[in-house]
Amino acid sequence: MASSHALADKSLVRFRGMIQDTSLSREVSSDLRVLWAVSVPGESPWCALAPPQCLVPYISPHPHKFPVPSASHLGVQIKIYNTDTGPDAFKSTDIHTFVGILTSEPLPPTLELDTHVLVPTLHVLFSQPLPPTIIPRVYPSTHRSQVIRDQLIAWIADTSLAGDLDAAEWVLLSIISRVQSRTPPILPLTLTVSRFPSPKGPNTTPALAHTLSQILALLTTLPLSLETINNTAFVPESKDEDLHSGWLQLPKGSVCLVTEGGVTEGKTHSGIVNLRALQQTISTQKLEYLFPFSRFAFDTDLAFVILAEGKKSVFFQTDTNVPLQPNAANFDFYPTPEIVQTLPQQKLDAFRSLVGAAKVGNMTVSEETAKFIQEDFVQERQAAPLSSEAPSSEELIQRMMVARLLALSLQETEITVPVWEAAKNLEAKRKARVT
């Protein structure tokens, strides 16, 4: 790390960070809370705060406390005084903007790896929690427009998916989804884009990651490989009273793009635990934290998009599988970031506003529409030539989820009959690809 002299002592600074560890307060008084916060994982440059200049040269001596291995980041000890907030005011993976006085101090004894190590320590004067969109959004967006939505889908398709508009629309629906309810569970729409080519050259980050990072505030790419599966942590784990991070310790509202193209033949060894943890998080939106004699599952809210080369994901079950159907020959799915088409700032702002608003929007279903949907479903079941071909109650729930996301992407305030018909049509086209 840079010497403590590189840190401007007693500077007034602003730091946006994700709370990674709340356990540092155990040895101090009740008037003081001590946390460990890190740079926001997956935060896109277009919405990020510039780090305080006095922290730029700092290299964390605790890289294991950041979710993405080997990623450049800041780690800061946060001290909050005379707080009258409840125990849930500062939770793991919450994002806050902290304003305070910066000093250089040692960590509490439980985390002291080196008695001579001093870390940036922020004595907080003021803090503010941030929404999952980082930039506050209002629903419906001021950029609500069928034209803007169609242009966004076309841009995702043309830059990332070889012109496949249907696949791009499914990607849009997945990335705007969030946890709507835990009881009953209405969770994000998890998506597999199958038949997605694996990288053939040195570039292994798909164009889709570069594209989505221009419109999403929080995007983390998890590149699966034998090395990643076997030798990196996916979930947080307490070791010697020090909470180590994992790939999935991400802020609520993040999109996690999981790529399977780097997985080659070999044994997963202990990595099977990581794969199970990822599947559990996909299915339940709960992330387990491991402790020496126990484990606790905490609520999360992550949207997952899986890129798989085969007919389906090798490892994971998702709500929806959309086989890619390229419309462009010799398409480069793994270009350098500079090659990905950029847009005028005004158009980017419109796309970001539409996506951000959709992630926070809510909607209703009128009694008239609910009655139509129920009757339509009954008629479809009765019209099926075989009982095995009749739509199930699970399919009805899935269609309702798709219809809700379609309405959100259209910035509608309720699900209408045309939206319901559009959801059925989109799902029918998807099924035709799978069969």
Side-chain angles (χ1 to χ4, degrees), residues 13-26:
V13 301
R14 178 176 61 164
F15 172 63
R16 178 188 292 169
M18 182 194 80
I19 298 172
Q20 187 271 332
D21 191 352
T22 61
S23 65
L24 277 66
S25 298
R26 285 176 295 184

Side-chain angles (χ1 to χ4, degrees), residues 351-368:
F351 288 174
R352 291 165 181 170
S353 175
L354 187 147
V355 170
K359 281 189 79 72
V360 301
N362 292 299
M363 71 183 39
T364 59
V365 183
S366 68
E367 289 187 13
E368 182 181 354

Side-chain angles (χ1 to χ4, degrees), residues 69-235:
S70 304
S72 175
H73 72 282
L74 300 174
V76 180
Q77 182 175 215
I78 303 291
K79 292 191 174 182
I80 302 170
Y81 297 87
N82 300 320
T83 176
D84 56 1
T85 55
D88 292 335
F90 298 96
K91 297 182 295 184
S92 176
T93 73
D94 283 354
I95 302 174
H96 286 256
T97 297
F98 300 100
V99 177
I101 306 300
L102 181 69
T103 63
S104 183
E105 300 178 9
L107 287 165
T110 54
L111 279 181
E112 191 58 79
L113 302 183
D114 183 337
T115 55
H116 301 292
V117 170
L118 300 177
V119 299
T121 302
L122 194 59
H123 300 263
V124 175
L125 303 174
F126 171 78
S127 68
Q128 181 177 22
L130 293 182
T133 53
I134 303 297
I135 298 172
R137 301 294 185 183
V138 177
Y139 185 86
S141 168
T142 55
H143 293 92
R144 60 183 299 182
S145 160
Q146 178 75 49
V147 173
I148 293 295
R149 180 185 184 274
D150 291 346
Q151 289 175 344
L152 172 57
I153 291 171
W155 179 65
I156 294 172
D158 293 342
T159 59
S160 313
L161 301 170
D164 189 340
L165 291 171
D166 278 1
E169 185 166 12
W170 281 104
V171 168
L172 174 61
L173 299 186
S174 180
I175 65 175
I176 65 173
S177 63
R178 72 181 196 274
V179 174
Q180 292 285 318
S181 168
R182 302 231 175 234
T183 308
I186 306 175
L187 306 180
L189 178 75
T190 56
L191 172 67
T192 297
V193 180
S194 56
R195 300 293 192 188
F196 194 91
S198 294
K200 306 302 180 185
N203 295 326
T204 58
T205 302
L208 185 60
H210 304 311
T211 296
L212 295 183
S213 70
Q214 295 186 57
I215 57 173
L216 292 172
L218 298 170
L219 173 72
T220 293
T221 301
L222 201 175
L224 291 188
S225 65
L226 289 180
E227 169 65 23
T228 305
I229 293 170
N230 288 325
N231 299 321
T232 64
F234 280 30
V235 302

Side-chain angles (χ1 to χ4, degrees), residues 318-341:
T318 58
D319 296 319
T320 304
N321 174 23
V322 180
L324 185 68
Q325 290 186 352
N327 291 320
N330 302 316
F331 186 83
D332 187 359
F333 288 92
Y334 297 89
T336 56
E338 310 82 59
I339 296 177
V340 176
Q341 175 190 354

